[in-house]
Structures are given as C-alpha cells and as structure tokens.
Amino acid sequence: AETATRRELELRRAFKGEKSRLLAEAEEAREASETLRAELSKARQEAAEAQRSSEEQRAAAESAARDVSAARAEAARLRGEEGALRGLSAEALEALERGSLAALTAIRQAREEAARRARTCVVCMAAPRSAVFLPCGHAACCADCVDSLRRHASQAAQAAATLQLAHAYDCPICKRPVASAHRVFWA
C-alpha cells in the first residue's frame, strides 16, 4: 500500500508538472497567435496602402501622359504641321495665327535687344562699341570709355608713384593687359 501511495504521489507530481508545462506552451502559442494576427493585420494595411499608392502613381502617370500628348499636339500646331492643323476650325486657326504672330514679334524684339546689347559698350552700357583692344581682340568699349580707362590707369599709377607701367589697363572682357586700342568702324 505504501508503494501504491508513493507511486500515486509521483504520478500526481508528474501530472502537475506536465499540466504546468502544457499550460505554459498553450500560453506561448496564444501569444504567438496574437503576434501573428497583429503582423497579419499590419501586412494587410501595408498592402492596402501600397495598392492605394500604386493606383495614385498610375493615375499620375496617366495624367502626365495625357499632358505630354496635349503638349505635343500643341507643339505640332505651333510648328504648323499640316496634320495638326487639319481638324481645327477657322476660329481656332485664326487664334493660332494671332498667337504665332505675337510670339514672332516677341522673338524679333528679343533678338534685336540681344544684338543691341552685343553692340553696346560694356563699360557705360550706352554708347556703341567703337574700339578693339590688342592683343586680345575684344571690341568691347566706346572711344570715351577707352580714354576713361587710360586716365584711370594713369592716375592709379601716379598715386602708386610708379614711373613706368608695363601696360596701361586691362581688357574689361578677359582682363588681359591691353597693349593698344584701335578705333573700329562697323560696316
């Protein structure tokens, strides 16, 4: 009987241990299940966000493609391509002509202004260029500004008590020493 009681106590202890181990494993499995559910929920949310983002990007790409297509069609009309002009109404063609003439006028004015600036003295920005510097060859100044540059260089040399200058002044374009300046007559 004592052996049976001892055996029964051992079985009860073993059962308690097994029961505790199984309960701990069940708790771990429950926690893992909750973690997996949370990760699955997060993955679903990320997938939905990625889907929305993908749809937004696709919509943006489609919109950009439409914009590019419209810009190409407008460019073809502005270039006067026959196929692009064929389907336009008389009013649309007239509006296109007015716009093109206005653009042409603006282009001519800009070209004339650029040419005027290219012919204007870089020092005073008023008189036409009329002198070329040697040895660099830049025709950058008017005669009055060349004289002014010479006077300024001479005064600076006197103030520095320099008796003899290697050169009088520098070209305002390239900053190379000017050996001489000569009058230029444009044809």
Side-chain angles (χ1 to χ4, degrees), residues 72-83:
R72 285 183 177 154
E74 180 66 18
R77 286 190 292 276
L78 291 173
R79 285 191 303 268
E81 293 178 10
E82 186 178 335

Side-chain angles (χ1 to χ4, degrees), residues 31-99:
E31 288 173 1
S33 175
E34 287 177 11
T35 301
L36 287 174
R37 281 191 187 111
E39 289 176 1
L40 179 60
S41 176
K42 183 179 176 185
R44 285 181 179 154
Q45 288 173 349
E46 289 173 355
E49 180 61 33
Q51 179 69 27
R52 281 191 296 276
S53 177
S54 174
E55 289 170 1
E56 289 170 359
Q57 289 174 354
R58 186 174 24 84
E62 289 172 358
S63 175
R66 285 190 300 273
D67 291 347
V68 167
S69 179
R72 285 183 177 154
E74 180 66 18
R77 286 190 292 276
L78 291 173
R79 285 191 303 268
E81 293 178 10
E82 186 178 335
L85 299 176
R86 192 174 301 125
L88 297 178
S89 67
E91 294 83 19
L93 288 168
E94 194 173 313
L96 182 62
E97 181 180 21
R98 279 192 308 274

Side-chain angles (χ1 to χ4, degrees), residues 5 18-19 21 24-25 32 35 39 56 66 71 99 110-111 127 142 146-147 155 162 176 182-183:
T5 306
E18 187 63 22
K19 181 180 174 184
R21 188 185 64 75
E25 284 181 8
T35 301
E39 289 176 1
E56 289 170 359
R66 285 190 300 273
R111 185 192 70 219
C142 64
V146 169
D147 291 340
Q155 290 169 353
T162 304
R176 287 177 55 193
H182 299 277
R183 181 107 166 110

Side-chain angles (χ1 to χ4, degrees), residues 8-20:
E8 188 179 316
L9 284 174
E10 286 176 7
L11 284 173
R12 282 186 186 179
R13 277 189 216 131
F15 176 73
K16 251 186 182 179
E18 187 63 22
K19 181 180 174 184
S20 295

